[in-house]
Amino acid sequence: MILSRHAVLVFVARGTTRFGRTGWLGLALLVVAGVWFAQIWGQHQQPVALDADEPALVLPAAPVRLPATQHGMSLARENEQALLLTQIQQVAVSQGLSWAAADYKVLPAGEATPASVEVRCTLKGTYPRLRGALAQWVQQVPGLAIRDLSLSRTSSDVADVEAKLQLVVFMRSESAEGRP
């Protein structure tokens, strides 16, 4: 349908008498806001591209299976603490995360709780690498639980995050192995 010049002028004149100049200004602002929203929404729907120089995540190897306990969970023995702590650190380093230091706390077994090792550390790296390390820890380290995770970045333009982690590795006590 082609509108003639006369029809457009009549439409504008009727709109001006009905809405006034401020009405036309409001309509123009609505159109501009709609176009702007459509552009932003289109950018938001596009997938985030990773840097080309960043290598792909290291996939976790097959997890080491320890014998199951009476509750069906596989837990490491108390004498394997050093091995597990080394494994936790090696996973972080293999994912390209910066591992400056960590605090370790050994908690003895209680009446209702098994012995455990608490690991507090701060890691720095990209979010995909951190996520890969978390997935690899959960798969490979028997009895590992993530007690606390706090992520922060300096600004939204920076890809690197700083993660403050509190991991707990539950251990099978040597005295509980002899029980029926």
Side-chain angles (χ1 to χ4, degrees):
M1 172 176 124
I2 299 175
L3 295 175
S4 67
R5 182 173 186 234
H6 177 68
V8 172
L9 290 175
V10 169
F11 177 76
V12 171
R14 285 185 182 168
T16 304
T17 57
R18 184 173 262 177
F19 304 119
R21 289 182 179 169
T22 55
W24 283 113
L25 179 63
L27 182 64
L29 288 174
L30 281 173
V31 168
V32 168
V35 168
W36 185 42
F37 178 77
Q39 285 180 331
I40 297 298
W41 185 259
Q43 290 174 357
H44 177 71
Q45 295 301 318
Q46 294 176 353
V48 176
L50 296 175
D51 294 336
D53 60 340
E54 185 171 322
L57 291 176
V58 178
L59 295 176
V64 177
R65 297 285 178 210
L66 294 174
T69 63
Q70 60 185 357
H71 301 291
M73 292 178 56
S74 65
L75 299 176
R77 291 189 195 98
E78 286 184 60
N79 61 1
E80 297 174 331
Q81 292 172 2
L83 177 67
L84 291 172
L85 295 174
T86 303
Q87 185 179 8
I88 290 171
Q89 181 184 9
Q90 285 177 348
V91 167
V93 172
S94 72
Q95 289 291 344
L97 299 170
S98 96
W99 175 284
D103 294 325
Y104 308 105
K105 184 178 179 183
V106 178
L107 302 170
E111 289 280 327
T113 58
S116 61
V117 177
E118 220 176 71
V119 180
R120 291 176 188 252
C121 60
T122 302
L123 303 173
K124 293 181 183 176
T126 62
Y127 177 76
R129 291 182 180 276
L130 177 67
R131 189 170 169 210
L134 290 172
Q136 196 169 350
W137 281 330
V138 170
Q139 286 182 350
Q140 288 186 355
V141 180
L144 181 119
I146 301 168
R147 186 168 283 169
D148 190 27
L149 172 62
S150 173
L151 299 173
S152 64
R153 1 183 232 183
T154 54
S155 73
S156 62
D157 297 337
V158 177
D160 285 350
V161 294
E162 179 179 83
K164 294 181 181 179
L165 283 163
Q166 183 179 2
L167 305 172
V168 178
V169 181
F170 294 102
M171 308 294 237
R172 184 171 30 154
S173 70
E174 303 296 329
S175 61
E177 286 181 6
R179 288 189 220 157

